Amino acid sequence: MEEKEIPVYLFLGFLDSGKTKFIQETFEDERFDSGENTLLLVAEEGEEEYDPSRFAVKKFAVEQVNEQTLNLNALVALENKHRPDRVVIEYNGMLELQKFFDAMPDGWMINQVMTFFDAGTFLAYNKNMRQLVFDKVQFSDMVVFNRFRGEYEKEEFHKIIRGISRRPDIVYEYEDGKAEYDDIQDPLPYDIEAKIIQIEDRDYAFFYRDLMEDMQKYRGKTVQLKGLVATDKRLKQGTIVIGRHIMTCCEADISYSGIVCLHPSTLPLKTRDWVKITARIDLEYHSVYEQKGPVLKASALDYCEPPEQELATFY
């Protein structure tokens, strides 16, 4: 028999961010009652409680879970007990999402992720617990800032979210109930229509992310940039990887983000050499990616001094 797929709706955020209120209102909406058996898992102990008597959803069960019971065996037991057609989860903002991902039973599929923040405390959370903020935003389809006020600078909130991910929609919900979608444009820090696109040292992280998210946009473009060489004896002669170490969130998530480069140079290049290249970007299958990906075809390559700040960031 084919395994049943169960869609999972994740609602993320810290205490008092508005998760419970949103889920309560969702369950009160008759449009959410499709006749499916719904399991609501509550992994948060906030001041606001659910009022099931007001649910429009008729077939539901509510179960409390915590850090100790959030494991595969416990979730399989709840699935067997309630036989849900869909699962809704109010997740504890102090828990990293990987704990839930590791505990997901076979067949559970993430369908939508929404993250809620109290606009009045968000900047402090981001400053003091950025890893937890990053952990939630990176997977989100939508980020909602509740209790937003007119004196707040949208650009400040926007910049933090877009520094983590360009994927989610951003919604500002004011105290009077009015909601506005974020429409702030994010121009690239370089001219993508230039004959040779100059990637400044400070902009490598933006370039790499945009390239990987929309490769077709860069196909046939010529770029000039500095990068750190990586070599491997398994690569063919004239093939290296050029990239930078990028810090997306904090020191724990620093990773080397490189691009395959084909070059005609006879320089004895070795790992950790800094080079400056001018190269055309093509999209080809390569074993480094194990799929189709960007390939830099260099027309010029030479040694160079490292950038003033070797670590690339989004800030």
Side-chain angles (χ1 to χ4, degrees):
M1 295 179 61
E2 289 188 9
E3 186 178 82
K4 177 182 178 181
E5 290 188 357
I6 300 176
V8 177
Y9 300 84
L10 267 169
F11 295 87
L12 315 175
F14 300 106
L15 277 173
D16 298 324
S17 61
K19 302 189 300 295
T20 304
K21 180 176 181 292
F22 185 89
I23 296 172
Q24 174 74 36
E25 292 174 351
T26 299
F27 274 63
E28 290 177 11
D29 190 337
E30 293 182 354
R31 292 171 297 180
F32 193 66
D33 182 24
S34 56
E36 294 177 303
N37 192 18
T38 304
L39 174 60
L40 172 58
L41 297 178
V42 183
E44 185 76 277
E45 295 183 10
E47 293 183 1
E48 191 168 347
E49 296 184 355
Y50 291 101
D51 182 359
S53 68
R54 298 171 58 186
F55 285 179
V57 176
K58 298 177 179 62
K59 297 167 64 177
F60 70 88
V62 181
E63 292 280 0
Q64 194 82 30
V65 293
N66 55 42
E67 188 171 3
Q68 286 69 44
T69 60
L70 197 63
N71 57 66
L72 176 61
N73 291 336
L75 294 185
V76 168
L78 290 175
E79 180 183 343
N80 291 335
K81 176 181 178 182
H82 298 291
R83 301 294 180 183
D85 298 305
R86 60 184 175 181
V87 175
V88 175
I89 302 177
E90 181 184 1
Y91 199 70
N92 190 322
M94 301 306 291
L95 296 179
E96 292 196 354
L97 273 171
Q98 193 60 48
K99 181 172 180 61
F100 173 68
F101 295 153
D102 292 341
M104 284 176 58
D106 291 341
W108 287 29
M109 309 291 291
I110 301 297
N111 194 67
Q112 187 178 35
V113 181
M114 295 183 65
T115 298
F116 296 81
F117 294 109
D118 183 326
T121 59
F122 171 72
L123 298 180
Y125 272 113
N126 183 65
K127 180 179 179 180
N128 299 310
M129 292 188 289
R130 179 162 175 78
Q131 176 60 40
L132 289 173
V133 171
F134 173 84
D135 178 60
K136 307 307 181 295
V137 172
Q138 65 174 326
F139 297 108
S140 294
D141 300 298
M142 178 178 288
V143 172
V144 179
F145 289 109
N146 279 313
R147 308 179 188 101
F148 204 79
R149 297 180 180 177
E151 64 265 27
Y152 296 157
E153 295 290 339
K154 289 182 182 177
E155 289 79 5
E156 190 171 10
F157 292 76
H158 170 97
K159 183 177 179 181
I160 292 170
I161 300 303
R162 288 292 176 252
I164 298 172
S165 173
R166 294 193 304 174
R167 175 182 178 182
D169 291 326
I170 303 174
V171 179
Y172 306 98
E173 185 163 317
Y174 292 83
E175 293 178 311
D176 63 2
K178 176 185 175 184
E180 290 181 351
Y181 275 83
D182 184 292
D183 59 0
I184 299 172
Q185 297 298 311
D186 289 302
L188 292 168
Y190 46 82
D191 182 5
I192 195 170
E193 299 302 330
K195 185 175 180 180
I196 299 178
I197 304 170
Q198 300 288 338
I199 308 300
E200 301 295 336
D201 296 339
R202 65 179 180 273
D203 298 330
Y204 182 83
F206 292 97
F207 163 69
Y208 182 82
R209 182 177 67 182
D210 198 58
L211 171 63
M212 292 304 177
E213 289 182 351
D214 191 357
M215 297 181 194
Q216 288 292 342
K217 183 168 66 178
Y218 288 87
R219 190 171 197 167
K221 301 285 187 180
T222 298
V223 296
Q224 188 173 83
L225 56 85
K226 282 183 182 179
L228 191 64
V229 172
T231 62
D232 190 292
K233 61 183 179 181
R234 291 170 293 183
L235 295 176
K236 294 180 180 179
Q237 186 174 356
T239 303
I240 57 175
V241 174
I242 292 180
R244 296 275 299 276
H245 288 94
I246 296 178
M247 182 174 72
T248 306
C249 167
C250 55
E251 291 186 3
D253 77 349
I254 295 174
S255 62
Y256 178 76
S257 301
I259 308 167
V260 172
C261 177
L262 309 182
H263 67 94
S265 174
T266 57
L267 295 173
L269 298 170
K270 59 185 185 299
T271 296
R272 302 199 68 80
D273 283 339
W274 281 96
V275 295
K276 185 172 185 177
I277 68 165
T278 302
R280 171 191 166 95
I281 301 175
D282 285 334
L283 300 182
E284 299 177 356
Y285 175 87
H286 200 280
S287 58
V288 168
Y289 305 123
E290 296 185 343
Q291 59 183 1
K292 184 178 285 190
V295 176
L296 298 172
K297 295 186 176 178
S299 56
L301 181 151
D302 203 353
Y303 295 118
C304 68
E305 291 297 316
E308 185 176 338
Q309 180 177 313
E310 295 191 21
L311 184 63
T313 71
F314 291 96
Y315 305 97

